[in-house]
Amino acid sequence: MLLISYFEPFGRDPLNSTEVICEEIKRVRRDVQFVKLPTVFYESGTVLTSLIKEVNPDTVIMLGQAGGRAAITPEMVALNWIDARIKDNRGQKPIDKKIVEGGPAAYFSTLPVRKIVEALTKGGIPARVSYSAGTFVCNALFYQVMHFIIENRYQIKAGFVHFPYLSGQVLYREEAPSLDLAKSIEGLNLIIELMEGSL
Amino acid sequence: MLLISYFEPFGRDPLNSTEVICEEIKRVRRDVQFVKLPTVFYESGTVLTSLIKEVNPDTVIMLGQAGGRAAITPEMVALNWIDARIKDNRGQKPIDKKIVEGGPAAYFSTLPVRKIVEALTKGGIPARVSYSAGTFVCNALFYQVMHFIIENRYQIKAGFVHFPYLSGQVLYREEAPSLDLAKSIEGLNLIIELMEGSL
Amino acid sequence: MLLISYFEPFGRDPLNSTEVICEEIKRVRRDVQFVKLPTVFYESGTVLTSLIKEVNPDTVIMLGQAGGRAAITPEMVALNWIDARIKDNRGQKPIDKKIVEGGPAAYFSTLPVRKIVEALTKGGIPARVSYSAGTFVCNALFYQVMHFIIENRYQIKAGFVHFPYLSGQVLYREEAPSLDLAKSIEGLNLIIELMEGSL
Amino acid sequence: MLLISYFEPFGRDPLNSTEVICEEIKRVRRDVQFVKLPTVFYESGTVLTSLIKEVNPDTVIMLGQAGGRAAITPEMVALNWIDARIKDNRGQKPIDKKIVEGGPAAYFSTLPVRKIVEALTKGGIPARVSYSAGTFVCNALFYQVMHFIIENRYQIKAGFVHFPYLSGQVLYREEAPSLDLAKSIEGLNLIIELMEGSL
């Protein structure tokens, strides 16, 4: 079973592209379990790891919005580090802090990052491998989940994929790149199909 | 009657977004006349001004590709200047040259630039007013056509609109922003409807 | 005689790079007349045109800060248009307005724009020709002054040059490009020497 | 003792900013040992680790050029991954490859990254912490050296610092940000002083 997490809006954004995409796709993808996470350090990880324990998925795909990027970007690496430039949705803004004291510096994604990029590109959707998931809540969630899976020796594939702004989000921020909702949904569908082995 | 021009590919691009968009839209928009122009200094202008003389349109919308932009950008101003950074499709690369010796420094678009941006934005399509059409063939065509219309005292509205790369064009240039083909077609349709008074 | 104008800070910037540069350079360049202008629509132009009438300079170089640019950029064209994205220092934010009702769409700089770029480049200072001075106070001043000079048939060379942020201005805005104060002063000195014929 | 490495030029660049900076600074900094490295995968690491074994420094600072960045950027993390977009100086272009098979996903810098950024900023020099050293030779060297030091239980502080292009390198690439040679030298001097405890 495939478990996909997405985030609520954060910062000054009234929307989070991954929420809009997943709200659409979950109506037709009844085989996939979706969960919305709070954009809050640690709490997002606690919610998702609890759910992983409960539903025992084969694969976990965490989604997040990367405003300013022009392509869908599967993340290669989760970094054991927090350096928040803005507040999370509980008003926390931690700086220069490990996510897991004593944990390794980083975990690699166990999703087939290159294959995801190739499948998207073949499907006509801008995509590239990213080597930095940032140092905010997205990366912290990614690290917490990888650490949880590895510490507990679960046989679960997991990784993080960043999505650009949707076109509708940049109407008053016109220099920012965006990806159309239809293409974004198509992109997430391709990733799901790839992970389910139906691609 | 509405006359819309678009360009053939130039530089290293195998496609020109405006050609792809117009090839699609002209199948359903039989009321609009389309013309493909060579990406060549002066020749593009000669072809279009001849056609204007012949068909006497109410409105002329010139389209061009602006790789690197994230939004549809109606141009406010045509500048009497050429500063080519790359060769046109005849191998010409003129620098520091007026387009029309003795012509005014610039012409303003006579299209309702602000209204176009508002209609696109309202339609959920990233758009903004641009105040520089560059100094390559796009701007030269724009200036030549405005000069021709004004010199001949035609009662024709005319202007230039730049379109971003299509998503399919940035698959191997992943940092570049793009606009989906469907959204681009939708955008051009909105502009046509606005100019035809049906919006 | 050479007259150089620069601007006071505007927006959220506590400094204006052109003020810092000119404050330094005017101590050693006693042959050049400097004037600080308010970053206010029309008022900046009124102050400068009054001074031009009074001192009758051979050459007027208007300076302004272009945050986000990486090079010194002599402007090729002054556009008869205002589209303010932020407020000026009197709280004005005019949109879609001509600077001079009935004036031509644009004036070209009468400074040797290409030669300035070549002199700076030869001197090891990043420079390029710019074809858009924006649609805020800088461009409005530029247009007002060109219009005044041409309307009054003065034999005065005039133009506008944008300078990047100084390095000190981007310390907490670290992605923004900047130019060192020493290089900026060197750059302005080269422009002065070129205009005085001593280069 | 402090050991500083820098790189020879690579790609289409005739210069490497770190070579120019170190060539200048090593004339006056006789207390610091400098070494130029080939921009070649593995070979760069072999040269530097041999030298570390030989001279047994207290601190190793590896320098590299990051064209496109506007600030001096101490790197937080060395990633066990290669994804070369261009060829190194031996014509190698490895993709999707670990640097050390069986090594950890990443090592953190053992330099005081935040303190370096604060010292530079206080000194008026644009600086920020970077969380990705890329996936080319710079990152590979950084990882190899960290792995060597930790595997051999050396008590050596080590890390990597990226420098922008010098102003002289962007004269024909005018949109690229740059840092003046004087400021770059000043920046490296501040880092040296900080590591020597004299700041």
Side-chain angles (χ1 to χ4, degrees):
Chain A
M1 192 265 282
L2 179 55
L3 175 59
I4 293 180
S5 74
Y6 57 92
F7 278 110
E8 60 181 15
F10 64 96
R12 293 178 201 167
D13 278 313
L15 296 176
N16 187 307
S17 57
T18 61
E19 180 173 10
V20 181
I21 296 161
C22 289
E23 289 297 325
E24 287 293 324
I25 218 169
K26 74 187 188 188
R27 294 185 205 162
V28 289
R29 278 280 173 183
R30 306 240 167 229
D31 52 324
V32 176
Q33 181 156 355
F34 289 88
V35 59
K36 176 156 91 172
L37 301 176
T39 306
V40 176
F41 282 108
Y42 299 110
E43 197 181 319
S44 51
T46 309
V47 172
L48 187 51
T49 53
S50 299
L51 191 63
I52 290 170
K53 220 188 265 179
E54 192 189 316
V55 306
N56 194 27
D58 303 307
T59 304
V60 179
I61 306 176
M62 294 161 268
L63 306 182
Q65 171 183 297
R69 291 195 186 164
I72 297 177
T73 47
E75 297 293 343
M76 191 64 189
V77 59
L79 197 65
N80 191 7
W81 202 255
I82 296 175
D83 180 5
R85 298 294 179 93
I86 57 168
K87 289 178 182 173
D88 74 5
N89 287 356
R90 287 270 178 281
Q92 303 172 91
K93 194 174 166 299
I95 283 177
D96 291 350
K97 216 175 154 307
K98 291 204 169 175
I99 295 158
V100 176
E101 210 47 62
Y107 291 110
F108 282 124
S109 177
T110 51
L111 297 181
V113 161
R114 180 66 62 189
K115 274 189 185 142
I116 291 173
V117 167
E118 286 170 353
L120 290 169
T121 301
K122 208 180 143 192
I125 297 164
R128 64 174 177 80
V129 179
S130 167
Y131 296 98
S132 175
T135 54
F136 192 54
V137 178
C138 287
N139 173 71
L141 170 74
F142 184 13
Y143 187 91
Q144 261 182 287
V145 167
M146 298 312 293
H147 188 73
F148 170 82
I149 288 173
I150 282 152
E151 286 289 294
N152 291 285
R153 299 166 190 266
Y154 284 109
Q155 295 301 313
I156 301 174
K157 285 180 200 158
F160 198 101
V161 182
H162 268 119
F163 277 71
Y165 284 133
L166 299 172
S167 301
Q169 291 178 277
V170 299
L171 297 177
Y172 302 96
R173 186 163 27 189
E174 304 101 337
E175 298 300 333
S178 64
L179 193 65
D180 185 30
L181 178 57
K183 281 279 181 211
S184 299
I185 290 172
E186 210 183 311
L188 183 52
N189 254 323
L190 280 172
I191 296 171
I192 292 171
E193 283 165 22
L194 184 73
M195 293 318 299
E196 286 182 336
S198 59
L199 196 72
Chain B
M1 194 264 284
L2 180 55
L3 174 60
I4 293 180
S5 75
Y6 57 93
F7 278 110
E8 62 181 12
F10 63 95
R12 293 179 200 166
D13 278 313
L15 295 176
N16 187 307
S17 57
T18 61
E19 180 173 10
V20 181
I21 295 161
C22 288
E23 289 298 325
E24 287 293 325
I25 218 169
K26 75 187 188 189
R27 294 185 205 163
V28 289
R29 278 279 173 186
R30 306 239 167 229
D31 51 325
V32 176
Q33 181 155 355
F34 289 88
V35 58
K36 176 157 92 172
L37 301 176
T39 305
V40 176
F41 282 107
Y42 299 108
E43 196 180 320
S44 51
T46 309
V47 172
L48 188 50
T49 52
S50 300
L51 192 61
I52 289 171
K53 221 189 265 180
E54 190 189 318
V55 306
N56 192 28
D58 302 307
T59 304
V60 179
I61 306 176
M62 295 162 266
L63 306 181
Q65 172 183 297
R69 290 195 186 164
I72 297 178
T73 46
E75 297 293 345
M76 190 63 190
V77 58
L79 197 65
N80 191 6
W81 202 255
I82 296 175
D83 180 4
R85 299 295 180 90
I86 58 169
K87 288 178 183 173
D88 75 5
N89 286 357
R90 289 270 179 278
Q92 306 172 90
K93 197 174 164 297
I95 282 177
D96 291 350
K97 216 176 152 311
K98 291 207 168 173
I99 295 158
V100 175
E101 210 48 60
Y107 289 109
F108 281 123
S109 177
T110 50
L111 297 181
V113 162
R114 180 66 63 189
K115 275 191 184 140
I116 291 173
V117 167
E118 285 169 353
L120 291 168
T121 302
K122 208 179 144 193
I125 298 163
R128 64 173 176 82
V129 179
S130 167
Y131 296 98
S132 175
T135 54
F136 192 54
V137 177
C138 287
N139 173 71
L141 170 73
F142 185 12
Y143 187 90
Q144 261 182 287
V145 168
M146 298 312 292
H147 188 73
F148 170 82
I149 287 173
I150 282 152
E151 286 289 296
N152 291 284
R153 297 165 191 264
Y154 282 109
Q155 295 301 316
I156 301 174
K157 285 180 202 157
F160 199 100
V161 182
H162 267 119
F163 277 71
Y165 284 133
L166 299 172
S167 301
Q169 291 178 277
V170 300
L171 298 176
Y172 301 96
R173 186 164 25 188
E174 304 102 337
E175 299 299 333
S178 63
L179 192 65
D180 185 30
L181 178 57
K183 281 277 181 215
S184 299
I185 290 173
E186 211 182 309
L188 183 51
N189 254 323
L190 280 173
I191 296 170
I192 293 171
E193 283 166 21
L194 184 72
M195 294 317 299
E196 287 182 336
S198 60
L199 196 73
Chain C
M1 193 264 284
L2 179 55
L3 174 59
I4 293 180
S5 75
Y6 56 92
F7 278 110
E8 60 181 14
F10 63 95
R12 293 177 201 168
D13 278 313
L15 296 176
N16 186 306
S17 57
T18 62
E19 180 173 10
V20 181
I21 295 161
C22 288
E23 290 297 325
E24 288 292 325
I25 218 170
K26 74 187 187 189
R27 294 184 206 163
V28 289
R29 278 281 173 184
R30 306 240 168 227
D31 51 326
V32 176
Q33 181 156 354
F34 289 88
V35 58
K36 176 157 92 172
L37 301 176
T39 305
V40 176
F41 282 107
Y42 299 109
E43 198 180 319
S44 51
T46 309
V47 172
L48 188 51
T49 52
S50 300
L51 192 62
I52 290 171
K53 222 188 266 180
E54 191 190 317
V55 306
N56 193 26
D58 303 308
T59 304
V60 179
I61 306 176
M62 295 161 266
L63 306 181
Q65 170 182 296
R69 291 194 187 164
I72 297 178
T73 46
E75 297 293 343
M76 191 63 191
V77 57
L79 196 64
N80 191 8
W81 203 254
I82 296 175
D83 179 6
R85 299 296 179 89
I86 59 168
K87 289 178 182 172
D88 74 6
N89 286 358
R90 288 269 180 280
Q92 304 172 92
K93 197 175 164 296
I95 282 178
D96 291 350
K97 218 175 152 309
K98 291 206 168 173
I99 296 158
V100 175
E101 209 49 58
Y107 290 109
F108 281 123
S109 177
T110 50
L111 297 181
V113 161
R114 179 67 62 191
K115 275 189 183 141
I116 291 172
V117 167
E118 285 170 353
L120 291 169
T121 302
K122 207 179 146 194
I125 298 164
R128 65 174 176 81
V129 179
S130 167
Y131 296 99
S132 174
T135 53
F136 192 54
V137 177
C138 288
N139 172 71
L141 170 73
F142 185 12
Y143 186 90
Q144 261 181 287
V145 167
M146 297 312 292
H147 188 72
F148 170 82
I149 288 172
I150 283 153
E151 286 288 296
N152 291 285
R153 297 165 191 265
Y154 283 110
Q155 294 301 316
I156 301 174
K157 285 180 201 158
F160 199 100
V161 182
H162 267 118
F163 277 72
Y165 284 133
L166 299 172
S167 301
Q169 291 179 278
V170 299
L171 298 176
Y172 302 97
R173 185 163 26 186
E174 303 102 338
E175 298 300 334
S178 63
L179 192 66
D180 186 30
L181 178 57
K183 281 278 182 215
S184 300
I185 290 172
E186 211 183 309
L188 183 52
N189 255 322
L190 280 172
I191 296 171
I192 292 170
E193 283 165 22
L194 184 73
M195 293 317 299
E196 287 182 336
S198 60
L199 196 74
Chain D
M1 193 265 283
L2 179 55
L3 174 60
I4 293 180
S5 74
Y6 56 92
F7 278 110
E8 61 181 15
F10 63 95
R12 293 177 202 169
D13 278 314
L15 296 176
N16 187 307
S17 57
T18 63
E19 181 173 10
V20 181
I21 296 161
C22 289
E23 289 298 324
E24 287 293 324
I25 217 169
K26 74 188 189 189
R27 294 184 205 163
V28 288
R29 278 281 172 185
R30 305 238 167 230
D31 51 323
V32 176
Q33 180 156 355
F34 289 88
V35 60
K36 176 156 92 172
L37 301 176
T39 305
V40 176
F41 281 108
Y42 299 109
E43 197 180 319
S44 51
T46 309
V47 173
L48 187 52
T49 53
S50 298
L51 191 62
I52 290 170
K53 222 189 262 177
E54 191 189 316
V55 306
N56 194 28
D58 304 307
T59 305
V60 179
I61 307 176
M62 295 161 267
L63 306 181
Q65 171 183 296
R69 290 193 188 167
I72 297 179
T73 47
E75 297 293 344
M76 191 63 192
V77 59
L79 197 64
N80 190 7
W81 203 255
I82 296 174
D83 180 5
R85 298 294 181 91
I86 57 168
K87 289 178 182 174
D88 74 6
N89 287 357
R90 287 269 178 281
Q92 304 172 93
K93 195 174 166 297
I95 283 178
D96 291 351
K97 217 175 153 307
K98 291 205 169 176
I99 296 158
V100 176
E101 210 47 60
Y107 289 110
F108 281 122
S109 176
T110 50
L111 297 182
V113 161
R114 180 67 61 190
K115 274 188 185 143
I116 291 172
V117 167
E118 286 169 352
L120 291 169
T121 301
K122 209 180 142 192
I125 298 163
R128 64 175 178 80
V129 179
S130 167
Y131 296 98
S132 175
T135 54
F136 192 55
V137 178
C138 287
N139 173 71
L141 169 74
F142 184 13
Y143 187 91
Q144 261 182 287
V145 167
M146 298 312 293
H147 188 73
F148 170 82
I149 287 173
I150 282 152
E151 285 290 295
N152 291 286
R153 296 164 193 267
Y154 283 109
Q155 295 300 313
I156 301 174
K157 284 179 201 158
F160 198 100
V161 182
H162 267 119
F163 277 71
Y165 283 133
L166 299 173
S167 301
Q169 291 179 278
V170 299
L171 298 176
Y172 302 97
R173 188 164 25 190
E174 303 102 336
E175 297 300 332
S178 63
L179 193 64
D180 184 31
L181 178 57
K183 280 279 181 211
S184 299
I185 289 172
E186 210 182 310
L188 183 52
N189 255 324
L190 280 173
I191 297 171
I192 292 171
E193 283 165 22
L194 184 73
M195 293 317 299
E196 286 181 336
S198 59
L199 197 74

